[in-house]
Every structure is written in C-alpha cells, then in structure tokens.
Amino acid sequence: MSVRERKFFVGGNWKMNGSYESIEAILKFLTEGNISHDTEVVVAPPSAYLAHVRQKLPNNISVAAQNCYKCNKGAFTGEISPSMVKDVGAEWVILGHSERRNVFGESNELIGEKVGAALEEGLKVIACIGEKLSERESGQTNSVVQEQLAAMAAHIKDWSRVVIAYEPVWAIGTGRTATPEQAQEVHAFLRKWLSDNVSLSISQQTRIIYGGSVNAANCRDLAAQGDVDGSLVGGASLKPDFVTIANACQ
Ligand code: 13P
C-alpha cells in the first residue's frame, strides 16, 4: 500500500528516438508490464508519433508532447501548438527541458509564456528546471532553479495541472545521477519556495519529480526521499527497465 501524500508520477521522455518499428517494443512492455495503479505514468514520444502512441496505449497511460509553442496557429514553421497536442489526444506537454533551454536557446521568459499557453488550452504541464554543473559548483543551484520556477509560476493559475521536474543538467544522459540527498535537498528547497511564494496547500499538493540518469538500480533510493514524488526518465524509458522505475513507489 502506498502511504504517499502525493500520487507517484513517472514520465518517460523518449527524446528524439524511435521509429514505428522500435516503438512496438516499447508499447509492448508498457501494456504488458504490470505497472502499479499507485503510479501516474506519462510517456512523451517525438511529435511525429504522438497520435500513433496515443491510439495504441491503454488509457491508464497518458501521453505528452516534448515541447510546444506559445501560439495555437500561425506562421511558425517547424513548431507544434498546444491545440494540436490536444487535438491528437495527448494530455500533457513537457516544457522547459534543459535540451530546449541549452540546445535551442529557449529563455525563462519564453518558457513561462509557453507554460501559460499550454495550461490555457487545457493541457497538463511537466515543467522542467535544473542547474548546469558550473552553476552547482559555484553555489548557484538554488538561485538558478528559483529563477526558472518563478518565470513559469507567473503564468500558472491552476497548479493541479502542473508537475515540476527537477533535472540537474550535469546528471542528464551522463550516468552521473544526483545522490538521493542532493535531489532531496533541492526538492525541499523548491517546496519551500512554493509555500513562500504560492501557498502552503499548493506546496503540499504539487508533485516534484527528479530527472537525470534515473535507472532500475537507483530509482528506489530516489523515490524514498520525502520530497521526491517520482521521476522523469530519458534513456531508460526506452527499455523494459521503465516498468521497474514506474513501480519504484512500492
Ligand atoms: P536521462 O534519463 O537519459 O539522463 O535523461 C533525463 C531527462 O532528460 C529526462 O527528461
């Protein structure tokens, strides 16, 4: 039995990976893998496969886009809109991922606007924040994540449709996971920030999940931390290990 205050949440961010053929294997372990009812599971395929994956998965697994723009239509070549994400049946969108920030140069301001637009359209948002290695080493972790979160919070009216993902950039795809204590420390800081700047009840209800080299071996120790409400998984979400990670709350 789960005694968690907040429902455990595990997201699978497939990033720019997959083909119709390789996705078959992922759909198979997701549908046949005995995922706990105590976990809310969301997978984020590339936008080209969103509708296909939504149609193939049972309803207990939600689907997220990995990004969307801040407008619903118009001359924005290469972008997809919040209303398109909704139209193809996806319920969630990941915004502010460090790869969007650091590879594609998205600013805090733009990400905040995108969060507002996605929520306005009725989507739920996995809102990502996290510091770079140089920022951690120079003692700026809290100020960086606080600034990133504040930029998004300014556009959030309904926190029940937001999950915060803390993903330290130095832990993403590197095999260098934050220790459970390092994750807990930042999560507790973020929860306090919510309490001080939004409200106590929002701080108690909002899920804060961890991302960065989460795997089948380290997921339980991370999940055991009081302020870690799940994980956002990259590489391991393409493998059957994802089912183990989704069940790490048990
Ligand atoms: P990895 O699990 O591959 O480190 O990626 C984490 C991530 O960026 C999830 O959004």
Side-chain angles (χ1 to χ4, degrees):
M1 270 299 281
S2 166
V3 289
R4 291 179 171 271
E5 229 179 305
R6 297 166 288 272
K7 185 158 186 166
F8 197 63
F9 184 105
V10 174
N13 176 7
W14 299 1
K15 308 195 179 184
M16 200 175 70
N17 295 292
S19 62
Y20 279 116
E21 198 184 344
S22 67
I23 284 172
E24 277 312 304
I26 303 176
L27 295 174
K28 190 166 158 58
F29 69 68
L30 286 174
T31 35
E32 294 174 7
N34 258 332
I35 292 176
S36 166
H37 296 295
D38 291 331
T39 306
E40 181 168 2
V41 176
V42 178
V43 295
S47 56
Y49 301 106
L50 268 180
H52 172 70
V53 169
R54 178 59 286 166
Q55 281 158 20
K56 291 271 182 163
L57 281 177
N59 283 337
N60 66 320
I61 299 179
S62 297
V63 173
Q66 296 174 13
N67 181 36
C68 68
Y69 195 52
K70 62 177 177 175
C71 302
N72 270 334
K73 62 176 184 174
F76 303 105
T77 303
E79 292 293 308
I80 63 169
S81 74
S83 61
M84 290 171 187
V85 174
K86 205 169 126 187
D87 198 32
V88 299
E91 302 91 341
W92 288 83
V93 61
I94 298 174
L95 291 171
H97 192 278
S98 74
E99 286 143 23
R100 297 303 315 175
R101 293 174 184 273
N102 300 318
V103 182
F104 300 100
E106 292 190 9
S107 65
N108 273 341
E109 190 192 9
L110 173 63
I111 292 162
E113 290 173 342
K114 289 172 30 154
V115 168
L119 291 171
E120 191 72 27
E121 194 54 34
L123 293 173
K124 297 184 249 191
V125 172
I126 301 173
C128 302
I129 57 179
E131 82 289 0
K132 295 181 194 159
L133 184 60
S134 58
E135 293 165 336
R136 172 161 284 262
E137 286 175 341
S138 57
Q140 295 177 76
T141 299
N142 288 354
S143 62
V144 168
V145 295
Q146 166 177 315
E147 202 178 326
Q148 292 170 335
L149 183 56
M152 298 197 266
H155 297 266
I156 299 173
K157 293 188 200 114
D158 179 1
W159 282 88
S160 71
R161 289 190 286 124
V162 177
V163 167
I164 298 169
Y166 168 57
E167 301 203 297
V169 181
W170 47 271
I172 295 179
T174 58
R176 183 179 166 192
T177 324
T179 64
E181 294 72 27
Q182 284 173 321
Q184 168 60 25
E185 195 180 5
V186 178
H187 285 224
F189 172 78
L190 295 169
R191 205 173 297 289
K192 170 99 173 38
W193 188 92
L194 288 174
S195 169
D196 293 345
N197 294 278
V198 186
S199 76
L200 177 62
S201 66
I202 297 291
S203 79
Q204 290 167 338
Q205 287 157 18
T206 304
R207 271 95 49 97
I208 307 176
I209 62 174
Y210 166 81
S213 297
V214 176
N215 59 37
N218 60 28
C219 58
R220 281 180 181 277
D221 288 344
L222 287 159
Q225 302 297 313
D227 288 297
V228 176
D229 303 312
S231 51
L232 186 56
V233 187
S237 71
L238 305 169
K239 302 185 236 162
D241 280 358
F242 184 69
V243 175
T244 307
I245 299 169
N247 290 340
C249 60
Q250 292 175 319

